[in-house]
Amino acid sequence: MSVSVPGNATAGAQAGGGGHGAAAGGATSSVDHAVVNKMLSHYLLIVLGAVSGALLIWRVTTVLVRYVRTVTCLHNDQQRYFAKPSHNYSWFQKNILYAPIFSKRHNREFQISSALNVGTLPSRLQLFFLLAYLGTNVAFCVMTIDFSGPLGQVAALIRNRTGYLAVVNMIPLFLMAGRNNPLINLLGISFDTFNLLHRWFGRIVMLESVAHTVAWLVGNASKNGWSAAFNTAITVKFLMWGFISTCAMIALCIQASSIFRHAYYETFKIAHIALAILAVLGLWYHLDLKKLPQLKYLYAVCALWIFDRAARFLRVGYRNIGAGGTKTLVEALPGGACRVTVSMARPWDFRPGQHAYLYMPSIGFWQSHPFTVAWSDEAEQLDGEKGLPMDRHDVLYQKKTSVSFIIRGRTGFTGALYSRAAANPDGKLVTRCLVEGPYRGSHQLHSYGTVMLFAGGVGVTQAVPHVRDLVAGYSNGTVAARKVIMVWVIQTPEHLEWIRPWMTEILAMEKRREVLKIMLFVSRPRSTKEIHSPSSTVQMFPGRPNIDTLLGMEMENQIGTMAVTVCGPGALSDEVRRAVRNKQYNGAVDFVEEAFSW
């Protein structure tokens, strides 16, 4: 199995036949196909660069529009101009930007059992891009190849083409896998979307690798027989490493399927990294033993992986080393959840929507898991020996940031964490935790006159920071928001304990009553006595909310452009998405879904 360009006679001889362009179709043809292979591979990168460029223009335009809207609406309590929908833009949002593939289902998982599911569906726009890119790869694999020629010659051309494209596709594959992918912030695309693209690009690389291997076997077997072809593949060192790489890629795609990924996530992560290293290592030897030109693309792949790992290491070191390190308190809460509060070693510039990865060696030695930052506090840590702060460095040194997370105990890491905390008499656990972050936090809602935040269960961790940010901004006159509505769906009233201290602080904020309304829906109340509304601005209802009705009521008195966000179970997210799409022509409304599929 060779990834070499046509014309490599030495590789062809050691491969035991099969032809490498020159032997298959003459010197002129060999040079032509070598140039075509390289050109088409570069075209793939140009296509991805063009798409990224278009998304960057969209991103810059969106940021400028939101900035202008924010500045214009700071002292405008009506914001009528920005409340009016644009017919063409509303059509685009309803039918393309926010549209699922079919009528409704997008983020709701296809569940086989409580432990097994087969994943979610991409959006309509994501599907269009994936099909277009897959079609481009298929076209590039067969373009300019004359399939009427001898079998050995055709197989050699397909072998070289697919091998070349597979290596080039590994560059975006590894870029999209990184937590520190610079395109996340640059293009405003979520890690969840890049994670989806990473999985599908991996399947494309795997299919091209398999086609590359099969093409070599067919070409060799057409002259020497299948037994000789397989024997050559596992005895010639350069071919053996290529065969190992292809097998590792096949194993990667099998174990990365949703069923295995969800059922054995911790095991999946370890196996995924090990198989990825094996695939890259095998490919490296496969290319390096013959000094093939595709090796330069593998340099970029390795550089991306090293950059991401180094950035993670530096983040962990910077955030957790110094000033006594981090200190962590885990509190077991009703409803099988934990409140994890980490006192950071260094100050943290907190923004709503940020998430971080937590390492707890005492719970899972090598594991790290992402969680949304639900709350952040900053306090002065005065040291009598240092006296009063003399400069900016001293001021920063004396600030101590604490960040809090709500973690629902399920299986694996989260289940073990809750069990350890609940096992203590007071339901509290002091442990060591390393925080890697912050990540993301790019969805700022300052430019919207009306903001409606839907949350289900622990999804409230996404809504609470935005509520505090918008209420403070309204009081200070720094945001366009005039109406903020938080809708939280919980199973029982005891789940209110998860965020009680933070909501107490929010409800005490200046001018809160003028801008904020909270609606709590209890889906499984034990009795009607549990359902009571403390005030007109904090209301509690039994059952599940009617998303269409709630959204319609708020849009009747909409101020400015409306933002509707959702974070919670897939069924809730899909219901809110459907309601927003149906209301596109009733007013200017944007939709933001916070999700983290794994």
Side-chain angles (χ1 to χ4, degrees):
M1 183 189 70
S2 167
V3 203
S4 63
V5 295
N8 193 331
T10 305
Q14 293 196 20
H20 276 262
T28 303
S29 175
S30 112
V31 173
D32 290 343
H33 280 290
V35 173
V36 170
N37 290 342
K38 184 175 181 180
M39 179 183 67
L40 292 178
S41 299
H42 289 174
Y43 279 172
L44 275 184
L45 298 179
I46 292 172
V47 167
L48 293 174
V51 172
S52 299
L55 290 172
L56 180 60
I57 293 173
W58 173 271
R59 168 75 165 163
V60 171
T61 302
T62 302
V63 170
L64 288 175
V65 167
R66 290 177 180 173
Y67 174 77
V68 171
R69 189 167 64 208
T70 302
V71 174
T72 305
C73 297
L74 286 180
H75 306 290
N76 183 352
D77 292 334
Q78 302 301 319
Q79 305 177 23
R80 290 191 180 93
Y81 174 80
F82 294 103
K84 299 176 182 178
S86 163
H87 185 275
N88 293 335
Y89 190 60
S90 295
W91 181 92
F92 172 73
Q93 291 193 130
K94 178 179 181 179
N95 296 288
I96 299 178
L97 190 60
Y98 302 149
I101 295 177
F102 303 111
S103 60
K104 177 181 175 180
R105 192 161 195 157
H106 168 58
N107 204 35
R108 182 184 176 189
E109 296 174 332
F110 288 92
Q111 202 82 23
I112 297 177
S113 68
S114 59
L116 299 176
N117 70 72
V118 292
T120 60
L121 293 174
S123 69
R124 192 172 297 174
L125 187 60
Q126 290 169 345
L127 179 65
F128 173 78
F129 171 76
L130 289 171
L131 289 177
Y133 193 71
L134 176 61
T136 301
N137 273 268
V138 171
F140 282 8
C141 284
V142 299
M143 190 178 294
T144 73
I145 295 178
D146 182 8
F147 286 89
S148 63
L151 178 60
Q153 177 182 342
V154 174
L157 295 175
I158 293 176
R159 178 198 64 218
N160 292 312
R161 181 72 56 79
T162 53
Y164 220 123
L165 295 177
V167 177
V168 170
N169 271 317
M170 290 178 68
I171 297 175
L173 173 68
F174 274 69
L175 176 63
M176 292 171 180
R179 297 175 185 175
N180 296 280
N181 177 0
L183 297 181
I184 292 176
N185 290 321
L186 187 65
L187 304 182
I189 297 177
S190 67
F191 177 78
D192 188 64
T193 297
F194 275 115
N195 202 13
L196 169 75
L197 297 177
H198 167 72
R199 292 195 293 269
W200 282 100
F201 271 61
R203 290 163 186 146
I204 291 173
V205 170
M206 183 272 292
L207 290 173
E208 289 174 338
S209 300
V210 169
H212 174 73
T213 304
V214 171
W216 182 88
L217 288 171
V218 168
N220 193 284
S222 67
K223 292 186 176 183
N224 306 308
W226 286 100
S227 178
F230 279 108
N231 183 65
T232 302
I234 61 176
T235 55
V236 177
K237 194 173 182 181
F238 133 80
L239 294 171
M240 179 193 69
W241 280 112
F243 191 73
I244 290 173
S245 181
T246 298
C247 291
M249 290 178 184
I250 295 173
L252 273 168
C253 286
I254 293 174
Q255 65 96 215
S257 62
S258 183
I259 292 179
F260 295 106
R261 197 170 67 246
H262 285 78
Y264 312 101
Y265 182 67
E266 281 84 4
T267 304
F268 152 76
K269 285 184 66 177
I270 299 169
H272 200 70
I273 294 172
L275 286 170
I277 292 174
L278 179 60
V280 172
L281 188 65
L283 182 58
W284 183 287
Y285 281 119
H286 180 62
L287 298 174
D288 186 57
L289 286 171
K290 293 299 176 185
K291 306 301 178 185
L292 301 178
Q294 296 92 328
L295 189 61
K296 62 178 178 291
Y297 301 116
L298 206 56
Y299 292 156
V301 169
C302 294
L304 288 170
W305 190 85
I306 293 171
F307 165 77
D308 183 65
R309 293 288 161 172
R312 294 187 197 183
F313 179 80
L314 292 174
R315 280 179 184 269
V316 172
Y318 178 78
R319 292 294 176 190
N320 300 274
I321 297 176
T326 57
K327 299 175 179 62
T328 305
L329 173 65
V330 182
E331 303 169 85
L333 301 173
C338 297
R339 184 189 298 121
V340 178
T341 303
V342 184
S343 180
M344 300 298 299
R346 296 178 185 271
W348 181 316
D349 184 17
F350 175 70
R351 295 182 182 180
Q354 287 179 339
H355 69 273
Y357 291 82
L358 301 186
Y359 299 78
M360 292 189 180
S362 62
I363 306 297
F365 180 72
W366 52 66
Q367 300 174 24
S368 64
H369 294 260
F371 301 100
T372 301
V373 182
W375 196 261
S376 177
D377 274 321
E378 201 168 73
E380 297 290 340
Q381 300 294 315
L382 297 178
D383 187 335
E385 294 184 5
K386 285 182 66 68
L388 294 176
M390 301 301 295
D391 55 27
R392 181 176 179 274
H393 174 78
D394 288 339
V395 171
L396 291 176
Y397 180 85
Q398 293 181 3
K399 285 185 178 180
K400 200 72 172 178
T401 301
S402 67
V403 292
S404 299
F405 309 83
I406 299 295
I407 301 173
R408 188 78 180 267
R410 300 191 186 277
T411 59
F413 173 85
T414 58
L417 179 64
Y418 175 78
S419 298
R420 286 280 298 274
N424 293 326
D426 58 354
K428 296 181 179 180
L429 170 69
V430 177
T431 186
R432 182 78 177 187
C433 177
L434 301 177
V435 180
E436 178 194 329
Y439 288 101
R440 194 94 199 288
S442 60
H443 280 305
Q444 299 303 309
L445 306 175
H446 295 176
S447 68
Y448 296 95
T450 304
V451 178
M452 201 166 188
L453 304 112
F454 289 89
V458 291
V460 73
T461 55
Q462 183 267 342
V464 168
H466 282 294
V467 169
R468 179 172 71 164
D469 182 55
L470 293 172
V471 171
Y474 173 79
S475 177
N476 298 330
T478 56
V479 299
R482 297 298 182 269
K483 292 175 64 179
V484 180
I485 307 97
M486 187 178 87
V487 181
W488 187 22
V489 185
I490 53 178
Q491 293 179 350
T492 65
E494 64 182 8
H495 292 177
L496 295 172
E497 293 298 326
W498 297 352
I499 62 170
R500 186 178 297 279
W502 307 328
M503 290 310 301
T504 300
E505 185 172 329
I506 288 175
L507 294 176
M509 294 177 69
E510 187 178 357
K511 297 183 180 181
R512 184 270 308 175
R513 292 180 180 272
E514 300 176 17
V515 65
L516 177 63
K517 179 168 68 174
I518 299 174
M519 306 175 76
L520 306 171
F521 288 84
V522 183
S523 61
R524 302 176 188 173
R526 288 186 291 264
S527 73
T528 56
K529 294 181 180 180
E530 293 182 326
I531 309 301
H532 61 279
S533 300
S535 67
S536 60
T537 56
V538 181
Q539 300 175 316
M540 186 179 292
F541 307 91
R544 300 181 183 276
N546 186 314
I547 308 297
D548 271 316
T549 301
L550 293 178
L551 188 58
M553 289 170 55
E554 297 303 330
M555 292 189 73
E556 287 180 359
N557 302 302
Q558 176 178 338
I559 298 176
T561 303
M562 173 185 271
V564 178
T565 76
V566 62
C567 184
L572 175 65
S573 297
D574 289 351
E575 191 64 35
V576 174
R577 177 186 294 269
R578 184 192 62 80
V580 170
R581 292 180 63 229
N582 289 341
K583 302 290 184 183
Q584 278 300 308
Y585 298 106
N586 296 7
V589 53
D590 291 346
F591 174 71
V592 178
E593 180 183 51
E594 290 289 344
F596 193 95
S597 60
W598 46 277

